[in-house]
Amino acid sequence: MSTKIKVHIALWVVTLIYAATFSIAKQIMPLYIKPFAFILMRVSVAAVCIFFFHRAFIHEKIEDKTDYRKLMVCAVFGIAANMLLFFKGLSITTPINGAVLMMNTPIFVVVFAAIWFREKITFQKAAGVLIATLGAMLLIGGRQFNFSSAGVWGDVMISANAIIYAFYLVYAKSLMQKYHPLTVSLYSFLFGLLIVLPFGLNEFLEIDFQSFTFKIWGGVAFITVGSTFLTYVLNAYALRHASSSLVGTYIYLQPVLATLIAIIFGTDVLSLEKLVFIFIIFTGVYFASFRKAKIT
């Protein structure tokens, strides 16, 4: 099997896992596990898995001690704040809303890259940002922008998470070029674990594990191992053999797959109004960040 095919298989698996995460996590939160406890479990398991994988295959150390400060920033924005807001928001909003609003991440990557690296924002990118922002606002508040409606604060948290994660992607770029992606991930998760511990410890102690069915245990394993550790490993493999733009384009498949999975699971309903707002966001993201991608 060629490397090109392996890369696309890896990216398809990652996209499918992320898409399924929205509906699977929604079935577990907050009835069985509260959001912050789930994040503590997710970060803990992923940190352990990445530690042993890194020790077995990567064998890389941080040479420049000043990079530890940058890794701490990555832990705050890429692990702690990002995940806490995402799962808390997902516990309130719907899977489809969550998946679509996460598409705003590439939009804010464009904005932060322009600020951080002085990258030029073309008219096409600016128009895309405005269109996607309009679509996100419509999806969050509906035609009447009713911010008292159920789930709206979950949408706001998911949107904030997209902004924070976009900053992380731009900020961590230099570290990803200097070290192996899993080396950056390892230290980010280890530092992130220290940060999320005080947030999730009390909720973790409240978990009634005896109430867990086989299905719930399977969902927990899927989230803690599959959507965290496995996706990081597969993305790292893809980044080694393909352009970052190719890896990035797969994020556009997540809302489509997440929508189909949510409808199949019965955790969400796709209305005509929501479909129109999703199309607006797709259009904005396309104009702002779509590029032709090649295997390198």
Side-chain angles (χ1 to χ4, degrees):
M1 186 182 295
S2 67
T3 300
K4 180 178 180 179
I5 295 176
K6 289 180 180 178
V7 166
H8 282 287
I9 290 176
L11 291 174
W12 265 104
V13 171
V14 169
T15 304
L16 185 60
I17 290 174
Y18 277 143
T21 296
F22 293 93
S23 291
I24 292 176
K26 188 69 177 179
Q27 291 183 331
I28 301 172
M29 296 187 303
L31 181 60
Y32 292 94
I33 305 176
K34 292 182 179 179
F36 291 169
F38 216 158
I39 291 302
L40 178 58
M41 294 172 65
R42 184 182 182 185
V43 174
S44 300
V45 173
V48 172
C49 291
I50 293 175
F51 173 81
F52 285 109
F53 188 90
H54 185 275
R55 191 178 183 119
F57 299 104
I58 308 302
H59 307 293
E60 186 179 42
K61 296 181 179 179
I62 302 299
E63 301 295 339
D64 188 349
K65 302 303 179 183
T66 60
D67 287 334
Y68 283 111
R69 178 182 59 81
K70 296 180 181 179
L71 288 166
M72 179 59 75
V73 174
C74 289
V76 172
F77 289 92
I79 305 298
N82 159 45
M83 290 189 178
L84 290 171
L85 282 170
F86 173 67
F87 264 47
K88 183 65 175 179
L90 186 59
S91 69
I92 301 173
T93 190
T94 66
I96 293 178
N97 279 34
V100 173
L101 289 171
M102 278 303 296
M103 282 187 63
N104 284 317
T105 296
I107 294 293
F108 289 105
V109 167
V110 171
V111 175
F112 285 125
I115 297 173
W116 199 278
F117 299 113
R118 305 296 181 184
E119 292 185 6
K120 183 180 179 180
I121 296 183
T122 63
F123 175 79
Q124 177 179 316
K125 287 184 178 181
V129 170
L130 292 176
I131 292 171
T133 301
L134 173 62
M137 292 176 65
L138 289 170
L139 185 65
I140 289 174
R143 288 173 296 180
Q144 297 179 352
F145 294 95
N146 182 10
F147 281 88
S148 63
S149 62
V152 69
W153 289 113
D155 292 339
V156 172
M157 290 178 189
I158 295 290
S159 298
N161 159 65
I163 296 172
I164 289 173
Y165 189 61
F167 172 80
Y168 159 75
L169 291 176
V170 175
Y171 182 86
K173 183 177 181 179
S174 60
L175 286 173
M176 292 292 186
Q177 293 174 336
K178 189 174 183 179
Y179 301 104
H180 191 283
L182 282 181
T183 300
V184 178
S185 298
L186 171 63
Y187 286 94
S188 295
F189 270 95
L190 291 176
F191 291 150
L193 177 59
L194 299 177
I195 300 172
V196 302
L197 183 61
F199 288 92
L201 184 58
N202 288 335
E203 289 188 359
F204 178 80
L205 295 176
E206 295 174 2
I207 299 175
D208 180 13
F209 289 102
Q210 294 183 345
S211 67
F212 283 21
T213 62
F214 179 78
K215 180 181 178 181
I216 297 302
W217 276 116
V220 171
F222 180 89
I223 298 298
T224 56
V225 179
S227 68
T228 310
F229 167 67
L230 184 58
T231 54
Y232 271 80
V233 172
L234 291 176
N235 264 329
Y237 170 78
L239 285 168
R240 277 194 169 275
H241 298 284
S243 63
S244 58
S245 59
L246 174 65
V247 177
T249 55
Y250 268 80
I251 194 174
Y252 307 133
L253 291 175
Q254 288 184 30
V256 178
L257 295 176
T259 297
L260 294 175
I261 292 171
I263 293 173
I264 293 172
F265 281 16
T267 55
D268 203 350
V269 177
L270 183 61
S271 65
L272 178 60
E273 180 183 89
K274 186 177 290 187
L275 189 62
V276 172
F277 300 156
I278 290 173
F279 176 77
I280 293 174
I281 294 176
F282 262 101
T283 302
V285 172
Y286 176 85
F287 282 117
S289 56
F290 185 81
R291 297 183 181 90
K292 185 177 181 181
K294 298 179 179 180
I295 298 289
T296 56

